[in-house]
Amino acid sequence: DAGVIQSPRHEVTEMGQEVTLRCKPISGHNSLFWYRQTMMRGLELLIYFNNNVPIDDSGMPEDRFSAKMPNASFSTLKIQPSEPRDSAVYFCASLGGNLDEQFFGPGTRLTVL
Amino acid sequence: AQSVTQLGSHVSVSEGALVLLRCNYSSSVPPYLFWYVQYPNQGLQLLLKYTTGATLVKGINGFEAEFKKSETSFHLTKPSAHMSDAAEYFCAVRHSGGYQKVTFGTGTKLQVIP
């Protein structure tokens, strides 16, 4: 299995630009999670989906952030407009079947100048 | 609400010495408990997990952890540290019911001194 796939791995953009992060979960997994990791705040859950439906988005920082899961094999996290304080590593993780643990992707390192 | 507390954001041990990383949890229902490891510039990788059954669980790379309900603890140990163990370690808790949200601790960075 290829594991959780995230793209791009690195993104550098300027303040005000739209940023779209992508995630392909492990095939057969029915739950998907988006996290943000920073030195100051550690690992934060932004949103999670179950069967493509958003279940808990209480961690989404503000309206500039949005996430979608149009089908079981793809999800996006969009930031519009981006700000320097959004600079972080964004992780996607999936969970499914009778497994108990989440499987993490390699992350996208976002730098907003 | 469930939560985890990791004592010590940084731990240093000598190569060959015992590794002990502490984790205490709070949960109103029987918890599922996890330890993840993160190497530099990588995602989190599962080390081991406790769901039900035997309270001493063994994971990859020689790590193990013991679930102690009376102490609400799930400390991670390894008898002999190796240089390759240098990484950040996260304890996490999840409800044993259908709710899938996991709460992570703040992480402990392990330094192994040669």
Side-chain angles (χ1 to χ4, degrees), chain A residues 54-86:
Chain A
I55 302 299
D56 185 346
D57 65 355
S58 59
M60 296 287 264
E62 48 198 274
D63 292 346
R64 297 184 297 107
F65 285 69
S66 62
K68 294 182 179 180
M69 192 164 186
N71 57 61
S73 59
F74 184 65
S75 177
T76 59
L77 178 67
K78 185 176 294 186
I79 308 173
Q80 165 64 15
S82 58
E83 297 182 2
R85 60 193 168 119
D86 301 330

PDB file of all heavy atoms in Angstrom, chain A residues 54-86:
ATOM      1  N   PRO A  54     -18.118  15.886   6.836  1.00  0.00           N
ATOM      2  CA  PRO A  54     -17.394  16.520   7.952  1.00  0.00           C
ATOM      3  C   PRO A  54     -18.124  16.276   9.271  1.00  0.00           C
ATOM      4  O   PRO A  54     -19.314  16.563   9.385  1.00  0.00           O
ATOM      5  CB  PRO A  54     -17.392  18.002   7.566  1.00  0.00           C
ATOM      6  CG  PRO A  54     -18.521  18.161   6.609  1.00  0.00           C
ATOM      7  CD  PRO A  54     -18.672  16.870   5.896  1.00  0.00           C
ATOM      8  N   ILE A  55     -17.409  15.743  10.247  1.00  0.00           N
ATOM      9  CA  ILE A  55     -17.988  15.392  11.533  1.00  0.00           C
ATOM     10  C   ILE A  55     -17.670  16.450  12.592  1.00  0.00           C
ATOM     11  O   ILE A  55     -18.517  16.808  13.401  1.00  0.00           O
ATOM     12  CB  ILE A  55     -17.491  14.016  12.010  1.00  0.00           C
ATOM     13  CG1 ILE A  55     -17.826  12.929  10.981  1.00  0.00           C
ATOM     14  CG2 ILE A  55     -18.048  13.680  13.373  1.00  0.00           C
ATOM     15  CD1 ILE A  55     -19.301  12.768  10.721  1.00  0.00           C
ATOM     16  N   ASP A  56     -16.446  16.916  12.584  1.00  0.00           N
ATOM     17  CA  ASP A  56     -16.018  17.871  13.605  1.00  0.00           C
ATOM     18  C   ASP A  56     -15.056  18.866  12.969  1.00  0.00           C
ATOM     19  O   ASP A  56     -13.948  18.498  12.595  1.00  0.00           O
ATOM     20  CB  ASP A  56     -15.334  17.129  14.762  1.00  0.00           C
ATOM     21  CG  ASP A  56     -14.966  18.052  15.919  1.00  0.00           C
ATOM     22  OD1 ASP A  56     -14.980  19.289  15.747  1.00  0.00           O
ATOM     23  OD2 ASP A  56     -14.648  17.537  17.007  1.00  0.00           O
ATOM     24  N   ASP A  57     -15.490  20.093  12.809  1.00  0.00           N
ATOM     25  CA  ASP A  57     -14.626  21.131  12.237  1.00  0.00           C
ATOM     26  C   ASP A  57     -14.326  22.222  13.260  1.00  0.00           C
ATOM     27  O   ASP A  57     -13.971  23.338  12.893  1.00  0.00           O
ATOM     28  CB  ASP A  57     -15.240  21.729  10.978  1.00  0.00           C
ATOM     29  CG  ASP A  57     -16.531  22.479  11.266  1.00  0.00           C
ATOM     30  OD1 ASP A  57     -16.999  22.446  12.424  1.00  0.00           O
ATOM     31  OD2 ASP A  57     -17.077  23.104  10.341  1.00  0.00           O
ATOM     32  N   SER A  58     -14.460  21.884  14.514  1.00  0.00           N
ATOM     33  CA  SER A  58     -14.274  22.888  15.569  1.00  0.00           C
ATOM     34  C   SER A  58     -12.840  23.400  15.648  1.00  0.00           C
ATOM     35  O   SER A  58     -12.586  24.454  16.226  1.00  0.00           O
ATOM     36  CB  SER A  58     -14.690  22.310  16.926  1.00  0.00           C
ATOM     37  OG  SER A  58     -13.930  21.159  17.239  1.00  0.00           O
ATOM     38  N   GLY A  59     -11.922  22.681  15.060  1.00  0.00           N
ATOM     39  CA  GLY A  59     -10.524  23.107  15.087  1.00  0.00           C
ATOM     40  C   GLY A  59     -10.121  24.020  13.946  1.00  0.00           C
ATOM     41  O   GLY A  59      -9.006  24.545  13.937  1.00  0.00           O
ATOM     42  N   MET A  60     -10.995  24.234  13.016  1.00  0.00           N
ATOM     43  CA  MET A  60     -10.686  25.117  11.892  1.00  0.00           C
ATOM     44  C   MET A  60     -10.556  26.529  12.442  1.00  0.00           C
ATOM     45  O   MET A  60     -11.499  27.059  13.043  1.00  0.00           O
ATOM     46  CB  MET A  60     -11.776  25.048  10.836  1.00  0.00           C
ATOM     47  CG  MET A  60     -11.891  23.674  10.186  1.00  0.00           C
ATOM     48  SD  MET A  60     -10.545  23.330   9.070  1.00  0.00           S
ATOM     49  CE  MET A  60     -11.308  23.795   7.522  1.00  0.00           C
ATOM     50  N   PRO A  61      -9.413  27.166  12.205  1.00  0.00           N
ATOM     51  CA  PRO A  61      -9.133  28.425  12.896  1.00  0.00           C
ATOM     52  C   PRO A  61     -10.090  29.557  12.560  1.00  0.00           C
ATOM     53  O   PRO A  61     -10.472  30.312  13.430  1.00  0.00           O
ATOM     54  CB  PRO A  61      -7.711  28.770  12.471  1.00  0.00           C
ATOM     55  CG  PRO A  61      -7.208  27.684  11.629  1.00  0.00           C
ATOM     56  CD  PRO A  61      -8.300  26.714  11.381  1.00  0.00           C
ATOM     57  N   GLU A  62     -10.460  29.682  11.334  1.00  0.00           N
ATOM     58  CA  GLU A  62     -11.333  30.784  10.940  1.00  0.00           C
ATOM     59  C   GLU A  62     -11.858  30.534   9.535  1.00  0.00           C
ATOM     60  O   GLU A  62     -11.524  29.526   8.915  1.00  0.00           O
ATOM     61  CB  GLU A  62     -10.567  32.114  11.003  1.00  0.00           C
ATOM     62  CG  GLU A  62      -9.208  32.084  10.329  1.00  0.00           C
ATOM     63  CD  GLU A  62      -8.334  33.248  10.784  1.00  0.00           C
ATOM     64  OE1 GLU A  62      -8.453  34.326  10.177  1.00  0.00           O
ATOM     65  OE2 GLU A  62      -7.529  33.072  11.718  1.00  0.00           O
ATOM     66  N   ASP A  63     -12.685  31.453   9.078  1.00  0.00           N
ATOM     67  CA  ASP A  63     -13.355  31.246   7.795  1.00  0.00           C
ATOM     68  C   ASP A  63     -12.408  31.192   6.609  1.00  0.00           C
ATOM     69  O   ASP A  63     -12.808  30.759   5.525  1.00  0.00           O
ATOM     70  CB  ASP A  63     -14.384  32.361   7.563  1.00  0.00           C
ATOM     71  CG  ASP A  63     -15.542  32.268   8.534  1.00  0.00           C
ATOM     72  OD1 ASP A  63     -15.673  31.199   9.182  1.00  0.00           O
ATOM     73  OD2 ASP A  63     -16.303  33.238   8.655  1.00  0.00           O
ATOM     74  N   ARG A  64     -11.200  31.581   6.811  1.00  0.00           N
ATOM     75  CA  ARG A  64     -10.243  31.516   5.705  1.00  0.00           C
ATOM     76  C   ARG A  64      -9.888  30.071   5.354  1.00  0.00           C
ATOM     77  O   ARG A  64      -9.376  29.791   4.281  1.00  0.00           O
ATOM     78  CB  ARG A  64      -8.957  32.276   6.055  1.00  0.00           C
ATOM     79  CG  ARG A  64      -9.154  33.769   6.295  1.00  0.00           C
ATOM     80  CD  ARG A  64      -7.820  34.471   6.530  1.00  0.00           C
ATOM     81  NE  ARG A  64      -7.137  33.989   7.728  1.00  0.00           N
ATOM     82  CZ  ARG A  64      -6.060  33.207   7.707  1.00  0.00           C
ATOM     83  NH1 ARG A  64      -5.544  32.812   6.543  1.00  0.00           N
ATOM     84  NH2 ARG A  64      -5.494  32.817   8.839  1.00  0.00           N
ATOM     85  N   PHE A  65     -10.160  29.175   6.294  1.00  0.00           N
ATOM     86  CA  PHE A  65      -9.858  27.765   6.103  1.00  0.00           C
ATOM     87  C   PHE A  65     -11.136  27.025   5.700  1.00  0.00           C
ATOM     88  O   PHE A  65     -12.193  27.217   6.302  1.00  0.00           O
ATOM     89  CB  PHE A  65      -9.327  27.152   7.400  1.00  0.00           C
ATOM     90  CG  PHE A  65      -7.921  27.524   7.740  1.00  0.00           C
ATOM     91  CD1 PHE A  65      -7.591  28.815   8.121  1.00  0.00           C
ATOM     92  CD2 PHE A  65      -6.910  26.576   7.685  1.00  0.00           C
ATOM     93  CE1 PHE A  65      -6.285  29.161   8.436  1.00  0.00           C
ATOM     94  CE2 PHE A  65      -5.601  26.911   8.011  1.00  0.00           C
ATOM     95  CZ  PHE A  65      -5.297  28.207   8.384  1.00  0.00           C
ATOM     96  N   SER A  66     -10.993  26.148   4.690  1.00  0.00           N
ATOM     97  CA  SER A  66     -12.108  25.289   4.315  1.00  0.00           C
ATOM     98  C   SER A  66     -11.563  23.944   3.875  1.00  0.00           C
ATOM     99  O   SER A  66     -10.443  23.846   3.379  1.00  0.00           O
ATOM    100  CB  SER A  66     -12.935  25.925   3.196  1.00  0.00           C
ATOM    101  OG  SER A  66     -12.148  26.088   2.022  1.00  0.00           O
ATOM    102  N   ALA A  67     -12.343  22.912   4.078  1.00  0.00           N
ATOM    103  CA  ALA A  67     -11.925  21.567   3.689  1.00  0.00           C
ATOM    104  C   ALA A  67     -13.086  20.861   3.022  1.00  0.00           C
ATOM    105  O   ALA A  67     -14.239  21.058   3.380  1.00  0.00           O
ATOM    106  CB  ALA A  67     -11.451  20.771   4.905  1.00  0.00           C
ATOM    107  N   LYS A  68     -12.722  20.031   2.049  1.00  0.00           N
ATOM    108  CA  LYS A  68     -13.726  19.263   1.328  1.00  0.00           C
ATOM    109  C   LYS A  68     -13.250  17.833   1.148  1.00  0.00           C
ATOM    110  O   LYS A  68     -12.045  17.556   1.132  1.00  0.00           O
ATOM    111  CB  LYS A  68     -13.991  19.881  -0.052  1.00  0.00           C
ATOM    112  CG  LYS A  68     -14.632  21.253  -0.015  1.00  0.00           C
ATOM    113  CD  LYS A  68     -14.897  21.760  -1.426  1.00  0.00           C
ATOM    114  CE  LYS A  68     -15.556  23.127  -1.398  1.00  0.00           C
ATOM    115  NZ  LYS A  68     -15.826  23.638  -2.771  1.00  0.00           N
ATOM    116  N   MET A  69     -14.204  16.952   1.005  1.00  0.00           N
ATOM    117  CA  MET A  69     -13.893  15.559   0.676  1.00  0.00           C
ATOM    118  C   MET A  69     -14.938  15.095  -0.325  1.00  0.00           C
ATOM    119  O   MET A  69     -15.980  14.548   0.064  1.00  0.00           O
ATOM    120  CB  MET A  69     -13.867  14.688   1.921  1.00  0.00           C
ATOM    121  CG  MET A  69     -13.274  13.323   1.658  1.00  0.00           C
ATOM    122  SD  MET A  69     -12.823  12.476   3.169  1.00  0.00           S
ATOM    123  CE  MET A  69     -12.013  11.028   2.480  1.00  0.00           C
ATOM    124  N   PRO A  70     -14.714  15.348  -1.596  1.00  0.00           N
ATOM    125  CA  PRO A  70     -15.710  15.055  -2.611  1.00  0.00           C
ATOM    126  C   PRO A  70     -15.935  13.566  -2.836  1.00  0.00           C
ATOM    127  O   PRO A  70     -17.007  13.168  -3.321  1.00  0.00           O
ATOM    128  CB  PRO A  70     -15.140  15.721  -3.869  1.00  0.00           C
ATOM    129  CG  PRO A  70     -13.682  15.837  -3.611  1.00  0.00           C
ATOM    130  CD  PRO A  70     -13.519  16.016  -2.140  1.00  0.00           C
ATOM    131  N   ASN A  71     -14.936  12.758  -2.504  1.00  0.00           N
ATOM    132  CA  ASN A  71     -15.097  11.312  -2.622  1.00  0.00           C
ATOM    133  C   ASN A  71     -14.170  10.624  -1.635  1.00  0.00           C
ATOM    134  O   ASN A  71     -13.366  11.282  -0.966  1.00  0.00           O
ATOM    135  CB  ASN A  71     -14.836  10.851  -4.064  1.00  0.00           C
ATOM    136  CG  ASN A  71     -13.466  11.234  -4.560  1.00  0.00           C
ATOM    137  OD1 ASN A  71     -12.459  10.809  -3.997  1.00  0.00           O
ATOM    138  ND2 ASN A  71     -13.420  12.054  -5.612  1.00  0.00           N
ATOM    139  N   ALA A  72     -14.258   9.323  -1.581  1.00  0.00           N
ATOM    140  CA  ALA A  72     -13.524   8.569  -0.555  1.00  0.00           C
ATOM    141  C   ALA A  72     -12.016   8.572  -0.751  1.00  0.00           C
ATOM    142  O   ALA A  72     -11.272   8.148   0.136  1.00  0.00           O
ATOM    143  CB  ALA A  72     -14.030   7.133  -0.525  1.00  0.00           C
ATOM    144  N   SER A  73     -11.552   9.028  -1.910  1.00  0.00           N
ATOM    145  CA  SER A  73     -10.121   8.926  -2.183  1.00  0.00           C
ATOM    146  C   SER A  73      -9.433  10.280  -2.306  1.00  0.00           C
ATOM    147  O   SER A  73      -8.279  10.358  -2.737  1.00  0.00           O
ATOM    148  CB  SER A  73      -9.880   8.121  -3.461  1.00  0.00           C
ATOM    149  OG  SER A  73     -10.524   8.734  -4.556  1.00  0.00           O
ATOM    150  N   PHE A  74     -10.112  11.364  -1.904  1.00  0.00           N
ATOM    151  CA  PHE A  74      -9.502  12.663  -2.109  1.00  0.00           C
ATOM    152  C   PHE A  74     -10.081  13.704  -1.162  1.00  0.00           C
ATOM    153  O   PHE A  74     -11.299  13.769  -0.965  1.00  0.00           O
ATOM    154  CB  PHE A  74      -9.727  13.110  -3.560  1.00  0.00           C
ATOM    155  CG  PHE A  74      -9.061  14.400  -3.928  1.00  0.00           C
ATOM    156  CD1 PHE A  74      -7.688  14.514  -3.937  1.00  0.00           C
ATOM    157  CD2 PHE A  74      -9.820  15.516  -4.264  1.00  0.00           C
ATOM    158  CE1 PHE A  74      -7.066  15.713  -4.277  1.00  0.00           C
ATOM    159  CE2 PHE A  74      -9.210  16.716  -4.618  1.00  0.00           C
ATOM    160  CZ  PHE A  74      -7.836  16.801  -4.622  1.00  0.00           C
ATOM    161  N   SER A  75      -9.191  14.520  -0.620  1.00  0.00           N
ATOM    162  CA  SER A  75      -9.624  15.628   0.225  1.00  0.00           C
ATOM    163  C   SER A  75      -8.714  16.827  -0.017  1.00  0.00           C
ATOM    164  O   SER A  75      -7.543  16.670  -0.372  1.00  0.00           O
ATOM    165  CB  SER A  75      -9.577  15.244   1.703  1.00  0.00           C
ATOM    166  OG  SER A  75      -9.932  16.333   2.531  1.00  0.00           O
ATOM    167  N   THR A  76      -9.270  18.013   0.167  1.00  0.00           N
ATOM    168  CA  THR A  76      -8.485  19.233   0.050  1.00  0.00           C
ATOM    169  C   THR A  76      -8.672  20.107   1.279  1.00  0.00           C
ATOM    170  O   THR A  76      -9.739  20.096   1.911  1.00  0.00           O
ATOM    171  CB  THR A  76      -8.878  20.053  -1.189  1.00  0.00           C
ATOM    172  OG1 THR A  76     -10.268  20.399  -1.098  1.00  0.00           O
ATOM    173  CG2 THR A  76      -8.626  19.286  -2.469  1.00  0.00           C
ATOM    174  N   LEU A  77      -7.630  20.833   1.608  1.00  0.00           N
ATOM    175  CA  LEU A  77      -7.677  21.865   2.638  1.00  0.00           C
ATOM    176  C   LEU A  77      -7.250  23.157   1.952  1.00  0.00           C
ATOM    177  O   LEU A  77      -6.160  23.228   1.392  1.00  0.00           O
ATOM    178  CB  LEU A  77      -6.739  21.534   3.792  1.00  0.00           C
ATOM    179  CG  LEU A  77      -6.657  22.566   4.917  1.00  0.00           C
ATOM    180  CD1 LEU A  77      -7.973  22.649   5.670  1.00  0.00           C
ATOM    181  CD2 LEU A  77      -5.525  22.220   5.886  1.00  0.00           C
ATOM    182  N   LYS A  78      -8.122  24.146   1.993  1.00  0.00           N
ATOM    183  CA  LYS A  78      -7.865  25.391   1.281  1.00  0.00           C
ATOM    184  C   LYS A  78      -7.753  26.539   2.271  1.00  0.00           C
ATOM    185  O   LYS A  78      -8.521  26.621   3.248  1.00  0.00           O
ATOM    186  CB  LYS A  78      -8.979  25.659   0.281  1.00  0.00           C
ATOM    187  CG  LYS A  78      -8.762  26.870  -0.611  1.00  0.00           C
ATOM    188  CD  LYS A  78      -9.863  26.999  -1.644  1.00  0.00           C
ATOM    189  CE  LYS A  78      -9.849  25.876  -2.641  1.00  0.00           C
ATOM    190  NZ  LYS A  78     -10.835  26.059  -3.735  1.00  0.00           N
ATOM    191  N   ILE A  79      -6.814  27.408   2.020  1.00  0.00           N
ATOM    192  CA  ILE A  79      -6.653  28.621   2.821  1.00  0.00           C
ATOM    193  C   ILE A  79      -6.723  29.802   1.852  1.00  0.00           C
ATOM    194  O   ILE A  79      -5.947  29.897   0.913  1.00  0.00           O
ATOM    195  CB  ILE A  79      -5.299  28.654   3.561  1.00  0.00           C
ATOM    196  CG1 ILE A  79      -5.079  27.365   4.350  1.00  0.00           C
ATOM    197  CG2 ILE A  79      -5.256  29.858   4.505  1.00  0.00           C
ATOM    198  CD1 ILE A  79      -3.685  27.257   4.967  1.00  0.00           C
ATOM    199  N   GLN A  80      -7.694  30.678   2.109  1.00  0.00           N
ATOM    200  CA  GLN A  80      -7.886  31.813   1.224  1.00  0.00           C
ATOM    201  C   GLN A  80      -8.485  32.981   2.002  1.00  0.00           C
ATOM    202  O   GLN A  80      -9.625  32.882   2.477  1.00  0.00           O
ATOM    203  CB  GLN A  80      -8.807  31.435   0.062  1.00  0.00           C
ATOM    204  CG  GLN A  80      -9.384  32.593  -0.751  1.00  0.00           C
ATOM    205  CD  GLN A  80      -8.322  33.408  -1.477  1.00  0.00           C
ATOM    206  OE1 GLN A  80      -7.180  32.984  -1.628  1.00  0.00           O
ATOM    207  NE2 GLN A  80      -8.702  34.579  -1.913  1.00  0.00           N
ATOM    208  N   PRO A  81      -7.779  34.098   2.133  1.00  0.00           N
ATOM    209  CA  PRO A  81      -6.401  34.327   1.742  1.00  0.00           C
ATOM    210  C   PRO A  81      -5.434  33.822   2.805  1.00  0.00           C
ATOM    211  O   PRO A  81      -5.779  33.763   3.983  1.00  0.00           O
ATOM    212  CB  PRO A  81      -6.338  35.857   1.660  1.00  0.00           C
ATOM    213  CG  PRO A  81      -7.297  36.305   2.722  1.00  0.00           C
ATOM    214  CD  PRO A  81      -8.409  35.283   2.728  1.00  0.00           C
ATOM    215  N   SER A  82      -4.247  33.461   2.385  1.00  0.00           N
ATOM    216  CA  SER A  82      -3.251  32.964   3.334  1.00  0.00           C
ATOM    217  C   SER A  82      -2.565  34.121   4.065  1.00  0.00           C
ATOM    218  O   SER A  82      -2.474  35.238   3.543  1.00  0.00           O
ATOM    219  CB  SER A  82      -2.208  32.105   2.618  1.00  0.00           C
ATOM    220  OG  SER A  82      -1.565  32.856   1.597  1.00  0.00           O
ATOM    221  N   GLU A  83      -2.101  33.828   5.280  1.00  0.00           N
ATOM    222  CA  GLU A  83      -1.393  34.802   6.101  1.00  0.00           C
ATOM    223  C   GLU A  83      -0.110  34.164   6.639  1.00  0.00           C
ATOM    224  O   GLU A  83      -0.049  32.932   6.762  1.00  0.00           O
ATOM    225  CB  GLU A  83      -2.270  35.265   7.259  1.00  0.00           C
ATOM    226  CG  GLU A  83      -3.534  35.985   6.820  1.00  0.00           C
ATOM    227  CD  GLU A  83      -4.363  36.486   8.002  1.00  0.00           C
ATOM    228  OE1 GLU A  83      -3.928  36.309   9.161  1.00  0.00           O
ATOM    229  OE2 GLU A  83      -5.446  37.061   7.744  1.00  0.00           O
ATOM    230  N   PRO A  84       0.881  34.966   6.984  1.00  0.00           N
ATOM    231  CA  PRO A  84       2.140  34.399   7.508  1.00  0.00           C
ATOM    232  C   PRO A  84       1.932  33.476   8.702  1.00  0.00           C
ATOM    233  O   PRO A  84       2.649  32.481   8.847  1.00  0.00           O
ATOM    234  CB  PRO A  84       2.950  35.648   7.881  1.00  0.00           C
ATOM    235  CG  PRO A  84       2.475  36.683   6.908  1.00  0.00           C
ATOM    236  CD  PRO A  84       1.004  36.410   6.746  1.00  0.00           C
ATOM    237  N   ARG A  85       0.936  33.755   9.526  1.00  0.00           N
ATOM    238  CA  ARG A  85       0.729  32.911  10.713  1.00  0.00           C
ATOM    239  C   ARG A  85       0.163  31.539  10.359  1.00  0.00           C
ATOM    240  O   ARG A  85       0.044  30.673  11.236  1.00  0.00           O
ATOM    241  CB  ARG A  85      -0.207  33.602  11.702  1.00  0.00           C
ATOM    242  CG  ARG A  85      -1.599  33.929  11.168  1.00  0.00           C
ATOM    243  CD  ARG A  85      -2.319  34.883  12.112  1.00  0.00           C
ATOM    244  NE  ARG A  85      -3.530  35.440  11.516  1.00  0.00           N
ATOM    245  CZ  ARG A  85      -4.739  35.240  12.035  1.00  0.00           C
ATOM    246  NH1 ARG A  85      -4.888  34.512  13.109  1.00  0.00           N
ATOM    247  NH2 ARG A  85      -5.785  35.791  11.467  1.00  0.00           N
ATOM    248  N   ASP A  86      -0.182  31.332   9.108  1.00  0.00           N
ATOM    249  CA  ASP A  86      -0.622  30.012   8.664  1.00  0.00           C
ATOM    250  C   ASP A  86       0.559  29.091   8.361  1.00  0.00           C
ATOM    251  O   ASP A  86       0.362  27.901   8.091  1.00  0.00           O
ATOM    252  CB  ASP A  86      -1.485  30.130   7.401  1.00  0.00           C
ATOM    253  CG  ASP A  86      -2.711  30.998   7.616  1.00  0.00           C
ATOM    254  OD1 ASP A  86      -3.217  31.048   8.761  1.00  0.00           O
ATOM    255  OD2 ASP A  86      -3.160  31.631   6.642  1.00  0.00           O
TER     256      ASP A  86
END
